[in-house]
Amino acid sequence: MNNSLYGLIHDYYPREKVISIKTDDKLSFFYFPSRLYKVFSKSMTYKSVYIFFDYSDNIKVLRGVEANEIVQIEKITAQTPKGLKTLYSYEENLNDIKELVNSLEYKMFLDFEFTMPGFTYDKRFVSELLQIGAVISDKEGHTVNEYSTYIKTKRDVTDRTKRFLRIKDEDLLESIPQKQFYSEYKRLIDIYNPTIIVWGGNDTKELDLFYSINKLKPIKANYIDLVKLIRKHYLLSEDIGLFNALKIFCGIDASQAHHALTDAAATKEVFDSFKKYINSDNDINLKEILRQMKESKNIQEDNDEKETD
């Protein structure tokens, strides 16, 4: 069970991510997990900072004292010469996310599959884009275009990659040259000017690497990492896997396909349901749902292509 507290920050210990607040004529200590410390740390450029937060019974001994874990920040304010200034508000943060999601016009839900090294160590290995899947929708969420293709690679695709992605040599026969992929991808962006929505950071990192190794000018676009948006909205301590999100938000129980178009379509499904929930009066309690799934061991492990066997 969580408790709430509001007070003036008495002391601040940045190395330990600890604050103290005077309560009942004594100092009480509280520590921030990393995800909340990022929200809080900017506030300490001000003097006389007040914080309203929830804390749990989880305790760590830091600086020789017992400190309770801060689990949610509701509001941070500071006394300035012009009066009380709001530095952070959880409610305003939720509204910002809602406004962002509702403002999007054309959206491209994007996923890449890329090559993996072989089963033996190869220090020369550099991953390459192997497959793209893109689903484009309008403001109302209607799909207006889909694009999927395999992309030729400079080096042979390893057996490990084929096994992981469940692809065969004949699947790669119709792969298009890298510059053709670049032109077709750019054309889609030129036509729709979409906001590009990905799940996690790997896709954009691999795309940047593709531009670099092929000496191509990066295609300008606005990217949103949906898993980070969901994590921020629900104050999660860690990322949630795409197909766990698909099950929770959409009621679709499926295993991750590791097929670019399928995963792009799954990202769209999650986005559409997330948008529906944050615009309703009955948003889900994602933290509690995940806790129950973990307790019942009914949660998929998030397998990453870059992990070793």
Side-chain angles (χ1 to χ4, degrees):
M1 183 176 177
N2 296 331
N3 307 285
S4 297
L5 184 65
Y6 174 77
L8 172 67
I9 295 176
H10 187 275
D11 288 306
Y12 167 49
Y13 309 97
R15 178 178 292 181
E16 294 82 5
K17 302 172 185 174
V18 168
I19 59 171
S20 65
I21 292 178
K22 199 168 186 179
T23 59
D24 299 327
D25 295 323
K26 69 173 184 178
L27 286 180
S28 296
F29 294 83
F30 305 90
Y31 73 91
F32 294 92
S34 296
R35 63 186 174 85
L36 293 181
Y37 183 68
K38 291 177 182 178
V39 173
F40 165 78
S41 58
K42 298 176 183 178
S43 305
M44 294 313 294
T45 56
Y46 292 84
K47 296 180 179 179
S48 302
V49 176
Y50 295 82
I51 184 169
F52 179 42
F53 61 94
D54 296 338
Y55 64 94
S56 73
D57 294 328
N58 294 334
I59 291 175
K60 283 186 179 179
V61 177
L62 300 163
R63 293 190 66 89
V65 297
E66 292 185 344
N68 289 79
E69 179 188 20
I70 296 173
V71 295
Q72 180 166 326
I73 301 172
E74 294 291 345
K75 199 170 188 178
I76 303 173
T77 59
Q79 191 65 49
T80 72
K82 295 183 179 180
L84 202 63
K85 179 178 180 179
T86 298
L87 307 179
Y88 172 82
S89 166
Y90 176 59
E91 185 175 345
E92 290 179 6
N93 179 57
L94 293 184
N95 287 333
D96 289 344
I97 293 174
K98 182 177 177 180
E99 287 179 10
L100 170 63
V101 167
N102 290 335
S103 70
L104 301 178
E105 299 285 342
Y106 283 107
K107 301 167 288 292
M108 176 190 287
F109 299 91
L110 179 69
D111 186 82
F112 289 111
E113 302 298 340
F114 33 89
T115 58
M116 304 167 67
F119 293 105
T120 56
Y121 175 70
D122 181 358
K123 65 179 181 180
R124 299 170 302 168
F125 176 80
V126 177
S127 58
E128 298 181 74
L129 297 183
L130 181 61
Q131 185 190 34
I132 179 178
V135 179
I136 301 173
S137 69
D138 60 18
K139 188 174 179 63
E140 287 71 38
H142 303 129
T143 298
V144 297
N145 205 342
E146 290 184 353
Y147 174 69
S148 181
T149 185
Y150 285 102
I151 305 162
K152 289 186 184 298
T153 56
K154 296 181 183 297
R155 301 181 67 179
D156 290 340
V157 178
T158 62
D159 290 338
R160 182 183 174 204
T161 303
K162 295 174 188 175
R163 191 184 78 172
F164 185 85
L165 299 179
R166 301 186 185 95
I167 58 176
K168 299 177 181 179
D169 289 334
E170 48 264 37
D171 295 325
L172 302 176
L173 291 178
E174 296 183 3
S175 299
I176 64 173
Q178 293 174 335
K179 289 190 177 179
Q180 181 181 341
F181 152 70
Y182 176 87
S183 298
E184 292 180 359
Y185 180 59
K186 184 177 185 302
R187 181 171 179 271
L188 286 172
I189 293 175
D190 288 343
I191 291 172
Y192 295 101
N193 189 28
T195 297
I196 300 176
I197 299 176
V198 296
W199 190 271
N202 280 345
D203 297 287
T204 51
K205 288 178 183 176
E206 291 295 327
L207 185 58
D208 288 341
L209 180 59
F210 169 82
Y211 293 142
S212 176
I213 63 179
N214 288 285
K215 296 181 173 57
L216 294 167
K217 182 179 179 181
I219 299 168
K220 291 184 179 180
N222 179 35
Y223 290 85
I224 291 178
D225 184 346
L226 181 55
V227 70
K228 285 189 177 180
L229 209 61
I230 288 174
R231 181 173 171 175
K232 187 176 181 181
H233 178 80
Y234 294 105
L235 295 177
L236 302 181
S237 59
E238 57 188 12
D239 289 346
I240 176 177
L242 173 58
F243 279 72
N244 289 315
L246 189 67
K247 182 176 182 178
I248 294 167
F249 283 95
C250 311
I252 300 173
D253 194 356
S255 297
Q256 188 160 1
H258 293 298
H259 182 279
L261 186 60
T262 302
D263 290 355
T267 304
K268 179 186 182 302
E269 292 282 351
V270 173
F271 175 88
D272 290 345
S273 292
F274 174 60
K275 180 179 179 180
K276 178 181 176 182
Y277 276 116
I278 65 176
N279 280 290
S280 74
D281 295 326
N282 298 302
D283 201 351
I284 61 174
N285 186 339
L286 187 52
K287 276 187 178 180
E288 179 60 20
I289 293 172
L290 287 170
R291 185 191 67 78
Q292 292 177 6
M293 289 176 67
K294 287 178 180 179
E295 282 188 356
S296 63
K297 297 182 180 178
N298 189 25
I299 193 165
Q300 289 189 43
E301 294 295 326
D302 189 17
N303 294 320
D304 192 301
E305 295 175 32
K306 289 188 176 291
E307 291 180 359
T308 56
D309 288 353

